[in-house]
Amino acid sequence: KDTNQKITALFSLKKPSTQTSTSSNTKSNSPFKTLEDIFIRPEFVIPCINILTKLEKQIINKDHTQHIGGKKYVFAIWIELLLKSGSKPFIHTCSNEEYTILLNKKFTNLKTTKDIFTKVPTGYEAYKKELETLIHNDNLHNLHVSESFTRKQ
């Protein structure tokens, strides 16, 4: 029992230090310090994040500050759609690890890993379709149209 407790203590000590150094390295190398920083234009932030409050199975609160339950991989689908939405993306391209750090920083209680970006779980297509519909219904693509109009003036 004594040996098992020592081994458990060693592993629990190593784990946080590994996570801390990985997070620190990514944070210092990344130009993005907050989730809002990944958006190409500031006016994209609120409407794009607000999509996550409109899901049938809501995953963040209305204040955009807390993960309140639901499938964490929905965040990966959301990121994917914001990157590939129409002819112009809403967000900058980052590594999966960077997105994970920024999502965990933004939404308390999320505590997800970069694995959400590499696994295709059951229900993926249904959530993707729902998010695509919400993006379309909220006319997020018009944000890009207003950008073109503003620049021409």
Side-chain angles (χ1 to χ4, degrees):
K1 286 183 179 180
D2 242 1
T3 306
N4 285 343
Q5 287 174 343
K6 288 178 183 176
I7 291 171
T8 303
L10 281 174
F11 282 112
S12 65
L13 287 175
K14 286 183 181 177
K15 200 171 187 178
S17 65
T18 301
Q19 289 175 344
T20 304
S21 66
T22 302
S23 296
S24 299
N25 290 342
T26 303
K27 286 179 188 172
S28 64
N29 294 335
S30 175
F32 310 111
K33 304 300 177 206
T34 68
L35 185 67
E36 290 80 358
D37 292 341
I38 68 170
F39 287 87
I40 292 172
R41 295 185 50 213
E43 54 270 24
F44 293 170
V45 175
I46 300 292
C48 289
I49 293 177
N50 203 42
I51 292 294
L52 297 172
T53 68
K54 296 179 179 185
L55 290 165
E56 186 177 321
K57 294 179 183 174
Q58 190 177 345
I59 61 170
I60 66 168
N61 65 350
K62 297 284 184 195
D63 295 333
H64 303 169
T65 57
Q66 189 172 26
H67 174 246
I68 57 172
K71 305 293 183 187
K72 295 177 182 181
Y73 65 81
V74 174
F75 290 97
I77 299 168
W78 176 70
I79 292 284
E80 174 191 336
L81 292 175
L82 294 179
L83 280 170
K84 298 177 182 176
S85 191
S87 61
K88 295 180 180 181
F90 289 100
I91 59 175
H92 294 284
T93 303
C94 299
S95 70
N96 292 345
E97 187 173 354
E98 286 176 292
Y99 288 131
T100 303
I101 290 167
L102 296 172
L103 287 165
N104 284 331
K105 196 182 212 185
K106 172 72 178 170
F107 302 110
T108 56
N109 300 327
L110 181 57
K111 298 178 182 112
T112 192
T113 66
K114 64 182 179 179
D115 292 344
I116 63 169
F117 293 96
T118 56
K119 296 178 181 174
V120 181
T122 306
Y124 172 89
E125 287 301 324
Y127 274 109
K128 184 174 180 180
K129 186 170 178 60
E130 183 180 2
L131 282 165
E132 285 172 332
T133 301
L134 287 168
I135 287 169
H136 175 74
N137 289 348
D138 278 19
N139 295 311
L140 291 186
H141 299 291
N142 289 343
L143 292 172
H144 282 302
V145 172
S146 68
E147 170 191 23
S148 299
F149 179 74
T150 306
R151 287 186 181 172
K152 287 179 184 176
Q153 290 182 340

